[in-house]
Amino acid sequence: MTTTTDLVSYEDALAAYDPVMGLEVHVELGTKTKMFCGCSTALGAEPNTQTCPVCLGLPGALPVVNATGVEYAVKIGLALNCEIAEWCRFARKNYFYPDMPKNFQTSQYDEPIAFNGYLDVQLEDGETFRVEIERAHMEEDTGKSTHVGGATGRIHGASHSLLDYNRAGIPLIEIVTKPITGAGERAPEVAKAYVRELRELIRALGVSEARMEMGQMRCDVNLSLMPKGADKLGTRSETKNVNSLRSVERACRYEIQRHAAVLSSGGTVVQETRHFHEDTGTTTSGRVKEEAEDYRYFPEPDLVPVAPPREWVEELRASLPELPLVRRNRLREEWGLSATDMQAILNAGALDLIVATIDAGADAASARKWWMGELARNANESGKALDELAITPAQVARVTELVAKGDLNDKLARQVIEGVLAGEGTPDEVVEKRGLKVVSDEGALTAAVDEAIAGNPAIADKVRGGKVAAAGALVGAVMKATRGQADAARVKELILEKLGVSEG
């Protein structure tokens, strides 16, 4: 078999094979308690302090279904255009693993709560790609293993492992796509766009923060290749627990190249789980992948079936918020943006911040200008996300208001933002402390203009002679004298009036 370091070029892989993907996304639901017991789901507690006989699977402990977890599951199913089961039940998925203290996971097998749906995703050029959804089912999360003493943080080579069962039993929704075909060379982009769209949908529903970097949303990337013209699916690999949008794209691309190398050399792809490595963008073998029968599923005897009333389901459907794709298209039209401009906003993570800034009183153009300009630059330089900056949408809206009123120009506004980010207070406090207000006193401006003209007689003569563009040097002199606090447009008007020259 070809090793994981043997690859063919992406172009050669796509010339010979068609990629087929299956994406399984696990989402931790934002309930206050676990799926089958009353233990808290709050993050940050000391290890093994949020456990009880139920989530530890002790003899005689009986689970009870979390009603909010069921509600969130139904909302997700509806937003994914799924059918909602009239009757479904839980099953036991049996396997031994140290982070599952019961030695089985309470999940759903052949009777999921939501099935047969789809999600439309938008690619970077504005093209829409429909991803078919096989199912969305309820289950519980496992505990957390920390492998100590090895070089990789994985169990291989570790001297010992630590187990924290606080996460065991937290409600999960697993969303499974049907085989995604027809994406061709854009398969990695489609995978990334799908996970991003799903994350935005989950957040819009308010059922989870879906923060991938915190493990609240994880993606398993299943991938196989079919020779061009074939109709039989190839053997798949499953890259487990990929935890960023970029990594989903990279893992998909790498596996396409690896599979193609194996097949092109006459080898056989092994059905297995694989680990993705962020530092190298590569995957390595985990374990041979089990089939469903290996888990010995059987109906959970300690839980009654779940039968969502139709009236309740329709009430939840009517309560759904505007979904992300619909919202983006509406805003793009309202703001008069191209698909590329809107994609740039999305890539920067600025959409919700811009909307909040507009809601706080700014106009759309100004809100976009500051978040996508000065603030995006600051975020890049500091290595932070935009929403991690120490400035609020309301404060940005106040800066735009001060500019609109003429109290600040753009240069001064940038200094105000700098001060807010540095923790010097609100925009008004920074203006006061730094003395940044625009000089609007006509007497002071006139004196500064007179001084600039007197100090630059040759330039003044050029302006008098009709070379209006030369006035820029005089404007610059006034701006320097006023430490950038003059209104440049008003300064130019005064200069031309003094020199008896018309703008036109």
Side-chain angles (χ1 to χ4, degrees), residues 32-275:
K32 293 181 180 179
T33 57
K34 293 183 180 181
M35 191 66 199
F36 303 111
C37 67
C39 289
S40 172
T41 60
L43 295 174
E46 289 294 313
N48 297 307
T49 58
Q50 294 175 173
T51 59
C52 72
V54 173
C55 55
L56 291 176
L58 299 183
L62 291 175
V64 177
V65 174
N66 185 323
T68 302
V70 175
E71 176 184 330
Y72 286 0
V74 172
K75 284 184 174 180
I76 291 171
L78 291 171
L80 291 172
N81 304 289
C82 289
E83 298 177 48
I84 304 301
E86 295 191 15
W87 187 94
C88 62
R89 57 184 172 178
F90 288 95
R92 290 190 181 183
K93 180 181 182 181
N94 296 277
Y95 65 96
F96 172 75
Y97 206 69
D99 62 8
M100 204 67 216
K102 299 183 294 187
N103 286 341
F104 66 86
Q105 180 187 33
T106 306
S107 181
Q108 291 188 305
Y109 174 44
D110 55 347
E111 298 166 307
I113 194 166
F115 54 93
N116 196 28
Y118 65 87
L119 181 64
D120 288 331
V121 302
Q122 212 162 43
L123 305 183
E124 293 200 4
D125 61 359
E127 179 184 339
T128 299
F129 191 98
R130 175 163 291 187
V131 176
E132 303 283 346
I133 305 295
E134 176 71 35
R135 56 192 280 142
H137 64 261
M138 298 180 287
E139 59 185 24
E140 60 181 337
D141 210 346
T142 61
K144 180 181 179 182
S145 300
T146 302
H147 306 298
V148 182
T152 65
R154 300 191 184 279
I155 194 168
H156 301 293
S159 60
H160 62 285
S161 297
L162 301 175
L163 298 173
D164 178 9
Y165 292 126
N166 284 351
R167 197 176 68 185
I170 285 181
L172 284 182
I173 288 292
E174 181 176 354
I175 301 160
V176 182
T177 70
K178 295 180 181 180
I180 302 171
T181 60
E185 66 181 9
R186 304 188 75 176
E189 183 188 353
V190 168
K192 176 183 178 182
Y194 166 75
V195 177
R196 178 177 58 217
E197 189 69 26
L198 188 57
R199 182 186 65 181
E200 295 309 308
L201 181 146
I202 295 295
R203 290 176 175 175
L205 293 174
V207 300
S208 173
E209 293 182 0
R211 298 187 63 171
M212 297 185 75
E213 75 279 7
M214 295 177 62
Q216 295 172 338
M217 181 171 171
R218 314 185 288 273
C219 180
D220 298 340
V221 179
N222 292 271
L223 188 125
S224 65
L225 296 182
M226 291 193 303
K228 291 286 186 180
D231 55 7
K232 183 180 179 182
L233 297 178
T235 302
R236 65 187 172 91
S237 62
E238 181 181 13
T239 305
K240 300 286 288 184
N241 295 325
V242 185
N243 64 358
S244 76
L245 298 178
R246 179 169 177 262
S247 295
V248 168
E249 184 175 30
R250 293 171 74 204
C252 182
R253 188 181 183 94
Y254 181 86
E255 283 297 282
I256 288 174
Q257 294 179 261
R258 186 185 68 84
H259 278 231
V262 172
L263 296 172
S264 298
S265 66
T268 301
V269 174
V270 175
Q271 182 168 317
E272 62 182 349
T273 63
R274 298 183 68 83
H275 301 298

